[in-house]
Each structure stands twice: as C-alpha cells, then as structure tokens.
Amino acid sequence: MRFLESTDFYYLHVFPFSARVGTKAAGMDGKVSEPEKKERVRLLRDLDVAKRQAFYRRFIGSKMQIIPEGKVYKGKYMRGYTDNYLPLYLPNEKKLENCLLEVTIEAIEEGLLQGSIIR
C-alpha cells in the first residue's frame, strides 16, 4: 500500500485473489481471510479513486480533442477519450457522436471528468 501511495500510477485494476483448485496456490499455507481480502480491496479501490482524481485535476483547464461515442452514460452524458486516454464526459448530443471535437476539460463531477465543446 505504501509503495502504491508513493508512485505516480493513476489507475489501479483491483480484484481479490482467488485460488483455483488444483493449483499450487490452492494448497499453500497462510491464506488471507475473506474479511481481510475485502478490507484490502476496499483500501486499494479507495486509493485508486484518490489517485485518479488527483491525476484528472492536473488537466482541468486544458484543451484537448476527443471523438465521443454513441453510448449514453447516466442518462445524460456522452464519453470520448483524449489522446492520453482520459475519459471525458460531455452533455449528450447525438449529432456529435463519432465527430472529432475540440473540448475544454472543466471539472470533476459525480466522479467523472467533465468538459465542454469549444465552438
């Protein structure tokens, strides 16, 4: 945990270990209890959220390009990715789907990086 806190990672893919029957790991001693696994996963996912938000904040005010996808998120947003793979959410406008857009990254709301189109 301390190592991960000290790094510049901005995204963690967290999941609990689950030994498969017939593997060496399934027969090893020193297994971590299920409650402890859940607590460790929770701590790492909390760290993931904090690191991701800190990374995203570095880009607020930046101008970027995205190509929004057609899927609607939370009933009101479309999403596109910047060239450095930041997921950016805009108010949904079907006509903008699959178009190259110049955008400004404005804020983090509802845990999502929000932007607006430069018109």
Side-chain angles (χ1 to χ4, degrees):
M1 184 77 171
R2 284 188 296 274
F3 168 74
L4 291 173
E5 288 170 336
S6 72
T7 66
D8 286 334
F9 292 128
Y10 85 92
Y11 176 83
L12 302 172
H13 182 79
V14 179
F15 55 92
F17 171 77
S18 179
R20 302 278 185 247
V21 175
T23 64
K24 287 184 180 182
M28 294 174 85
D29 293 332
K31 291 182 177 68
V32 175
S33 70
E34 288 303 314
E36 181 64 20
K37 277 189 209 178
K38 287 181 180 181
E39 177 61 9
R40 290 178 182 185
V41 165
R42 185 192 66 76
L43 290 170
L44 287 171
R45 287 184 176 155
D46 289 349
L47 179 61
D48 171 59
V49 168
K51 286 194 154 291
R52 196 176 308 203
Q53 302 274 318
F55 182 74
Y56 288 171
R57 278 192 293 278
R58 293 173 29 192
F59 296 94
I60 292 175
S62 298
K63 293 175 181 14
M64 304 252 180
Q65 291 183 330
I66 66 167
I67 299 175
E69 304 165 343
K71 185 176 176 186
V72 177
Y73 295 87
K74 296 191 176 192
K76 59 183 175 178
Y77 299 113
M78 55 193 328
R79 177 183 70 191
Y81 288 90
T82 65
D83 62 354
N84 59 343
Y85 207 65
L86 295 174
L88 185 69
Y89 294 81
L90 303 168
N92 185 38
E93 288 183 54
K94 181 76 173 157
K95 67 182 180 186
L96 300 175
E97 178 182 324
N98 298 318
C99 295
L100 182 63
L101 302 176
E102 294 281 334
V103 296
T104 300
I105 298 174
E106 295 183 335
I108 301 169
E109 295 178 19
E110 301 178 40
L112 304 175
L113 195 56
Q114 308 268 327
S116 63
I117 302 165
I118 300 171
R119 298 188 194 248

